[in-house]
Amino acid sequence: MTFLFWVMTSFTVVGFIVLMSMKKSMEKRIALAIEHEQNLELKQRVTKPVIWWLVGATMWGIISMMFVVWTFTVSS
């Protein structure tokens, strides 16, 4: 197996584990924001990490897909 394959596999697996371990925490933050809908300061403080988590998850997904495509183009 090539180095690229191991980089791609480890990036995907580690990223997936990190995202799944943070999922419950983000769900609790969203529930807290919905519960305290009237308190704008608390809502902003609670939702900011959720937004960054979503941005990070999206970037992880895009990079993982690029690794897969790159693996198939390099190996052919």
Side-chain angles (χ1 to χ4, degrees):
M1 295 286 168
T2 64
F3 176 72
L4 176 62
F5 174 77
W6 289 111
V7 169
M8 178 196 69
T9 303
S10 61
F11 180 81
T12 304
V13 170
V14 169
F16 186 75
I17 291 170
V18 168
L19 287 175
M20 288 300 111
S21 68
M22 294 177 68
K23 183 178 178 276
K24 279 286 192 198
S25 172
M26 294 302 130
E27 288 175 347
K28 289 177 185 175
R29 286 180 183 266
I30 291 172
L32 184 64
I34 291 172
E35 184 179 314
H36 297 288
E37 200 169 319
Q38 302 300 325
N39 190 347
L40 191 60
E41 181 183 329
L42 177 67
K43 188 175 179 181
Q44 288 177 346
R45 192 176 65 213
V46 168
T47 56
K48 193 171 186 175
V50 175
I51 292 170
W52 281 112
W53 183 74
L54 289 172
V55 169
T58 303
M59 293 304 297
W60 168 78
I62 291 170
I63 293 170
S64 294
M65 287 186 278
M66 288 172 46
F67 271 142
V68 170
V69 170
W70 189 27
T71 301
F72 284 114
T73 58
V74 169
S75 65
S76 27

